[in-house]
Amino acid sequence: MTENLFDPRLTPARPDLAARRLQGRVDAGRFVDGETREVVEPQAPLRRHPRPDAPLETEALHGERMTAYETTEEGWCWGQLEADGYVGWMPANALAAPGPAPTHKVAALHTLVFPGPSIKLPPVAPLPLGARVAVTRMEDTFAVTASGGFLPARHVTPVDAMEADFVAVAERFLATPYLWGGKTSCGLDCSGLVQVALTACGVACPRDSDMQEAALGSAVPWQGDASALRRGDLVFWKGHVAIVRDTTTLLHANAHHMAVAMEPIDEAIARISAAGSDVTSVKRL
């Protein structure tokens, strides 16, 4: 069996290097165990190639972990994210040895980390929704992390606390700029919006829209009648996904608006069809 039988987005294998667990299943010059690393930046880019101008494949959020199989002298790590299995190159300075296990996650769309227990202090970092932190204690209105940061306590929640309505989570990103590969309120794409919203509700979700179409929910017969749709249904086109809000509107990050936008379902379907793409499926979670 050769590596081209595997999805390269999810398979840590190259002609010269692969994960040891793939030995005997793929061809590679050498096989390594890899080392666990933790994202220490607010968010870190995962790129297709080890260059700052390479296409952005996805982002990893603070506290996420990655198995690193190679670190280059130029300062890039090649590895696989633990959360969704995506493979790519990340700046090595965005990673560090794993710290204490996360106890909390950011529940606000974004928050700020302060160096002490005062909002008048200059913040040292922003953190996006879903970022994970190890909180050691609560001090007044702050959650204090193992690294000494102070976050507004109302902006974090235990890691096992889940949102109830992923559509409501997605709606909070309304007007966020469109960014291919993005996963935060600084910018995100269609499948990133779905992944972030579902993850907040404890639903495992692949990264890309084609993976989501294959893995999520059950198929709903689509006859072109929007009245048959329900809140939370996912509408798929080739390379695109949108979230149904109700029988008349959907929500999606899209390059037409260059933002997360609400749009009448019929208008969106007609507009995308006119651009050469018809609905491929509707999935209900």
Side-chain angles (χ1 to χ4, degrees):
M1 184 178 294
T2 58
E3 65 191 73
N4 62 8
L5 297 179
F6 295 88
D7 188 333
R9 296 171 295 179
L10 302 175
T11 307
R14 307 182 332 224
D16 63 321
L17 178 66
R20 191 177 303 280
R21 61 182 170 79
L22 295 175
Q23 193 163 4
R25 302 175 62 202
V26 303
D27 297 326
R30 61 190 178 98
F31 295 86
V32 298
D33 292 321
E35 297 181 341
T36 301
R37 293 287 183 266
E38 183 173 302
V39 175
V40 292
E41 293 294 314
Q43 72 255 22
L46 191 78
R47 299 193 182 277
R48 190 174 304 172
H49 306 292
R51 306 191 311 266
D53 62 346
L56 179 65
E57 299 285 78
T58 187
E59 291 179 314
L61 307 184
H62 181 90
E64 285 194 52
R65 295 190 175 184
M66 176 185 192
T67 302
Y69 296 103
E70 178 185 27
T71 302
T72 70
E73 293 182 357
E74 293 76 21
W76 291 90
C77 277
W78 181 74
Q80 184 172 35
L81 299 178
E82 286 189 4
D84 60 17
Y86 224 101
V87 174
W89 292 91
M90 185 177 293
N93 60 10
L95 298 164
T103 61
H104 289 69
K105 60 186 177 182
V106 175
L109 195 59
H110 41 248
T111 191
L112 296 172
V113 182
F114 297 92
S118 171
I119 60 172
K120 296 181 179 180
L121 295 172
V124 295
L127 287 180
L129 175 74
R132 299 161 71 88
V133 293
V135 172
T136 57
R137 70 183 190 278
M138 295 292 177
E139 184 174 314
D140 296 326
T141 60
F142 291 94
V144 185
T145 69
S147 59
F150 288 72
L151 286 80
R154 65 173 54 205
H155 286 178
V156 299
T157 190
V159 290
D160 57 357
M162 301 301 167
E163 298 275 359
D165 181 357
F166 88 93
V167 182
V169 177
E171 288 171 335
R172 289 155 63 184
F173 285 91
L174 189 64
T176 295
Y178 180 86
L179 174 65
W180 181 276
K183 286 179 56 176
T184 76
S185 60
C186 292
L188 76 178
D189 60 17
C190 64
S191 55
L193 177 65
V194 171
Q195 187 186 49
V196 168
L198 284 175
T199 298
C201 296
V203 179
C205 179
R207 176 59 178 89
D208 293 343
S209 62
D210 63 318
M211 301 174 184
Q212 294 170 355
E213 186 172 17
L216 296 175
S218 55
V220 175
W222 173 248
Q223 305 296 333
D225 181 9
S227 66
L229 299 176
R230 298 180 187 170
R231 182 176 173 87
D233 285 350
L234 298 175
V235 182
F236 290 93
W237 295 260
K238 182 176 175 57
H240 189 59
V241 60
I243 303 167
V244 175
R245 295 182 64 249
D246 51 40
T247 57
T248 60
T249 61
L250 52 72
L251 182 78
H252 56 158
N254 67 93
H256 175 75
H257 296 94
M258 283 305 296
V260 177
M262 284 190 294
E263 193 171 3
I265 294 173
D266 291 338
E267 289 183 17
I269 289 174
R271 176 177 59 77
I272 297 171
S273 178
S277 183
D278 292 320
V279 172
T280 56
S281 71
V282 175
K283 304 295 284 291
R284 181 162 293 161
L285 303 178

